[in-house]
Amino acid sequence: MNNDVFQFWLTTAVELLTLLCAYLGVRLYKKNWKLRMALVVVPLVVNVILYLIYSSTIFFYLGVVLLLCIPFVWPKKSV
């Protein structure tokens, strides 16, 4: 398997993982906020590392999507 095929499969897997984690991180309303934050931050770190390795803008844009999800996951003050 050459490098282009591997990068294609890696990109596809990371795209699906990112979209799934972003959805679950935002939709888990009543659950633990640390779990929700981890669901968003861990793929964000993976996308940053892969962006630095491959210099592919796909990983950059996936990281931006996850950064936009963080305000919706951030815990609010309980009143």
Side-chain angles (χ1 to χ4, degrees):
M1 182 162 50
N2 61 14
N3 193 24
D4 292 335
V5 174
F6 176 72
Q7 187 174 355
F8 170 75
W9 285 110
L10 180 68
T11 303
T12 304
V14 170
E15 284 175 358
L16 293 174
L17 177 73
T18 298
L19 293 175
L20 179 70
C21 287
Y23 177 76
L24 288 177
V26 172
R27 294 292 294 184
L28 291 175
Y29 291 123
K30 304 287 183 191
K31 302 294 180 188
N32 188 0
W33 71 269
K34 293 177 186 176
L35 171 67
R36 292 172 53 202
M37 191 63 76
L39 278 172
V40 175
V41 172
V42 170
L44 177 64
V45 172
V46 170
N47 281 318
V48 168
I49 291 170
L50 290 174
Y51 175 69
L52 293 174
I53 292 172
Y54 289 109
S55 299
S56 176
T57 57
I58 295 169
F59 300 119
F60 174 75
Y61 290 127
L62 290 173
V64 169
V65 167
L66 289 171
L67 278 175
L68 291 174
C69 290
I70 288 180
F72 298 104
V73 177
W74 199 264
K76 296 178 182 165
K77 246 189 211 180
S78 52
V79 282

